[in-house]
Amino acid sequence: MNKTVVVIGGGAAGMMAACEAAKKAHVILLEKNDKLGKKLYITGKGRCNLTNASEPDELIENTPSNPYFMYSSYYTFGSEKTMAFFESLGVKLKVERGKRVFPVSEKASDIVKALERELRKSGVDIRLGTPAKRLVTAGTDQHKKIVGVEIGKGETIKCDAVIVATGGLSYPMTGSTGDGYKFSKELGHTVTKLYPSLVPLKAKEPWVTALQGLSLKNVSIVVRQAQTVVYKDFGEMLFTHFGVSGPMILSASRFLGDQYAKNPTLTIDLKPKLNEKELDIRLLRDFEKYNNKDFRNALDDLLPQKMIPVMIELSAIDPFKKVHDVTKEERKTLGHLLKNLTLTIIDSTGFSEAVITCGGVCVDEIDPSTMQSKLVSGLYFAGEVIDVDCYTGGFNLQAAFSTAYLAGNIER
C-alpha cells in the first residue's frame, strides 16, 4: 500500500469513495467544514433517504441527466449493495412508500456516524477544516497526471490520485460552493450550465399565500413551457407563502431549468380521477344536497376548507348566491377550474433550497466504468460534481454512492 489517494470532500460521495480507496491505498480525506457529512445531516428532513430500493434499470429511468453514463455505476453498485453496505456497518434500514429507504432510527446522523467509523477503521487520514486550493499536475498538456493537492500556506500533499467529490452548488451553507467545478475547469474539463434542481417554485398569483401550508394528495399536475408540456405527474404537493413545493413540484423543477422568464405554467387537476362530465355529475349531486344554502357553504364535501374561499374568488361566483340559483354556465366554470387550477411560475427559490445541482463536469470527459478523467491521469470524480442528477426519492444519494464506489474501488 505505497500509493496515496486524496479525496476532496467529506460528503456522501467523498466518504464512500474514501472507504473503498482505503482498501488499496493510503487515503487522505480533505473536508473544509469542521465535521463530515454536513449535507447528509439534513437530507430527507433529517431522516436521510439514502437510496431507493429499485433495480438498476429503474435507477436509470429516474436519472434524467445522462442516464446511460450511469449504467456501469448502477449495475456495479446499485441500491441492493448500498443497503447491504450500510447494514454491514450496523445501520438497520427500512423501506417506505415509493421504495424510499431510511435508517430505522430515522436519524441521518446514524448514516454519517457509520461512515465515519468505517473511515477511521480503514485508517483514512481525515483532515477537517482543510480546504483544497488547487490540484497539481505534471507532464504535458496532452499527457497531464495528478501529482498533488495544494492546501494553502505553501503546503502541497503529494499523491498518486485525486477523487473530486466536492458536491455542487445546492445548500451552499453546507460547503457546496462549486470548488470542484473550479478545479475541473483549471485542468481543461468542460462544466455544463449549472442551475438549481429539485427546488421549490415561486408563483405570480397572490392567492397562493392564502393556501400556505395546505398539502394536496392524489392530484395531478402538468407543467408547460411556451405551451409545450415539459412535465406531468400524479401525487403530492404543498402550497407555500411564495408558491408551491412537495415531491411532484421538486421533480418538475428539473425540467424548467432557468427558463422562468418565459412564464411557464403549472396546471393542477384537483379531481384527476373524474373527467369533466363525471365531475359535473358530482357537482350536481353536491348542489342538490346543499340546494338551499349559500354557494360558499356548498363546497365542504369537494375541497379542503382552506381552499374554498380561493376557489370561490377564482370562479367569480357570488359566495352568497343560493346554490339553486347557480347557473349551468357557472357550474361548468367551477368544474373547469377544479380540473385546471393554473399558476404562473416566475422563479425557483434558488440554490439555497435546491436538493441537487443540475449540470456539472461533462460526462463525455469521464470514463463511465472508472470515473477517471479522460484528460488527466489520476483524476477521478464522484457525486454531484458530475453532470448527472436524479429525481427525488433517494435516487441522488444512490448516484453519489454508485459513482463513489467506482471512483474508489479501482486499481491505483
Side-chain angles (χ1 to χ4, degrees), residues 287 290 293-299 308 311-313 315-323 326 330 334:
F287 282 13
Y290 298 107
K293 290 196 172 187
D294 290 346
F295 175 61
R296 61 178 182 155
N297 296 322
L299 302 176
I308 292 174
M311 296 299 282
I312 289 175
E313 179 184 350
S315 73
I317 301 172
D318 182 353
F320 298 99
K321 193 173 194 176
K322 295 299 180 184
V323 171
V326 173
E330 288 174 327
L334 176 62

Side-chain angles (χ1 to χ4, degrees), residues 286-294 298 322-325:
D286 282 6
F287 282 13
E288 187 176 336
K289 178 180 177 181
Y290 298 107
N291 191 37
N292 293 312
K293 290 196 172 187
D294 290 346
K322 295 299 180 184
V323 171
H324 58 72
D325 289 330

Side-chain angles (χ1 to χ4, degrees), residues 194-206:
L194 306 169
Y195 52 86
S197 185
L198 302 188
V199 63
L201 299 174
K202 296 180 179 181
K204 177 181 179 180
E205 288 71 15

Side-chain angles (χ1 to χ4, degrees), residues 228-301:
T228 299
V229 174
V230 295
Y231 187 75
K232 287 182 172 183
D233 206 349
F234 173 87
E236 299 178 23
M237 61 169 288
L238 172 73
F239 285 100
T240 67
H241 67 284
F242 54 77
V244 285
S245 187
M248 288 196 298
I249 302 302
L250 297 186
S251 292
S253 72
R254 162 64 182 74
F255 295 91
L256 292 176
D258 59 355
Q259 301 299 303
Y260 299 104
K262 296 180 180 179
N263 293 325
T265 59
L266 166 71
T267 300
I268 307 164
D269 185 345
L270 298 168
K271 301 295 175 183
K273 293 183 179 179
L274 303 175
N275 59 37
E276 290 211 12
K277 185 176 180 180
E278 292 168 332
L279 179 57
D280 193 47
I281 293 171
R282 163 71 191 275
L283 287 173
L284 280 169
R285 189 167 66 244
D286 282 6
F287 282 13
E288 187 176 336
K289 178 180 177 181
Y290 298 107
N291 191 37
N292 293 312
K293 290 196 172 187
D294 290 346
F295 175 61
R296 61 178 182 155
N297 296 322
L299 302 176
D300 290 355
D301 296 347

Side-chain angles (χ1 to χ4, degrees), residues 32-52:
K32 67 181 181 181
N33 289 314
D34 58 2
K35 66 179 181 180
L36 296 171
K38 203 166 182 182
K39 187 176 178 182
L40 264 176
Y41 276 105
I42 61 173
T43 58
K45 297 180 180 177
R47 297 173 64 217
C48 194
N49 181 189
L50 78 158
T51 186
N52 191 284

Side-chain angles (χ1 to χ4, degrees), residues 71-345:
Y71 189 92
S72 292
S73 297
Y74 288 149
Y75 274 91
T76 302
F77 195 78
S79 57
E80 187 176 337
K81 288 186 178 179
T82 296
M83 293 170 70
F85 171 77
F86 282 103
E87 286 172 338
S88 75
L89 300 185
V91 181
K92 293 182 179 179
L93 304 175
K94 61 179 179 177
V95 181
E96 295 188 357
R97 183 171 50 87
K99 299 183 182 180
R100 290 169 166 83
V101 179
F102 295 87
V104 170
S105 67
E106 300 197 343
K107 293 180 180 178
S109 57
D110 286 354
I111 299 296
V112 179
K113 288 174 183 176
L115 285 166
E116 189 167 359
R117 283 195 303 270
E118 183 65 14
L119 289 170
R120 297 190 186 283
K121 177 183 172 184
S122 302
V124 174
D125 179 1
I126 302 170
R127 302 189 188 182
L128 301 177
T130 308
K133 300 294 185 183
R134 186 175 68 90
L135 306 187
V136 183
T137 60
T140 65
D141 287 342
Q142 289 73 34
H143 299 93
K144 282 187 283 192
K145 175 177 172 53
I146 290 288
V147 295
V149 178
E150 185 183 314
I151 58 174
K153 296 182 179 178
E155 184 180 354
T156 296
I157 301 171
K158 293 182 180 180
C159 61
D160 302 282
V162 168
I163 301 173
V164 176
T166 50
L169 292 171
S170 59
Y171 292 124
M173 77 282 193
T174 65
S176 298
T177 52
D179 298 346
Y181 305 134
K182 178 176 76 75
F183 300 148
S184 303
K185 286 179 179 179
E186 287 173 349
L187 296 184
H189 272 279
T190 304
V191 174
T192 63
K193 190 171 185 178
L194 306 169
Y195 52 86
S197 185
L198 302 188
V199 63
L201 299 174
K202 296 180 179 181
K204 177 181 179 180
E205 288 71 15
W207 51 260
V208 296
T209 58
L211 301 179
Q212 179 181 354
L214 177 64
S215 179
L216 299 178
K217 296 181 179 181
N218 301 318
V219 297
S220 64
I221 62 169
V222 177
V223 178
R224 293 180 176 85
Q225 184 79 272
Q227 304 305 314
T228 299
V229 174
V230 295
Y231 187 75
K232 287 182 172 183
D233 206 349
F234 173 87
E236 299 178 23
M237 61 169 288
L238 172 73
F239 285 100
T240 67
H241 67 284
F242 54 77
V244 285
S245 187
M248 288 196 298
I249 302 302
L250 297 186
S251 292
S253 72
R254 162 64 182 74
F255 295 91
L256 292 176
D258 59 355
Q259 301 299 303
Y260 299 104
K262 296 180 180 179
N263 293 325
T265 59
L266 166 71
T267 300
I268 307 164
D269 185 345
L270 298 168
K271 301 295 175 183
K273 293 183 179 179
L274 303 175
N275 59 37
E276 290 211 12
K277 185 176 180 180
E278 292 168 332
L279 179 57
D280 193 47
I281 293 171
R282 163 71 191 275
L283 287 173
L284 280 169
R285 189 167 66 244
D286 282 6
F287 282 13
E288 187 176 336
K289 178 180 177 181
Y290 298 107
N291 191 37
N292 293 312
K293 290 196 172 187
D294 290 346
F295 175 61
R296 61 178 182 155
N297 296 322
L299 302 176
D300 290 355
D301 296 347
L302 196 67
L303 294 165
Q305 196 65 39
K306 202 169 192 176
M307 193 167 234
I308 292 174
V310 170
M311 296 299 282
I312 289 175
E313 179 184 350
L314 294 175
S315 73
I317 301 172
D318 182 353
F320 298 99
K321 193 173 194 176
K322 295 299 180 184
V323 171
H324 58 72
D325 289 330
V326 173
T327 66
K328 180 180 178 180
E329 289 71 23
E330 288 174 327
R331 192 182 73 243
K332 294 283 189 183
T333 296
L334 176 62
H336 183 76
L337 184 60
L338 290 166
K339 299 285 291 179
N340 298 275
L341 180 60
T342 300
L343 291 163
T344 306
I345 304 302

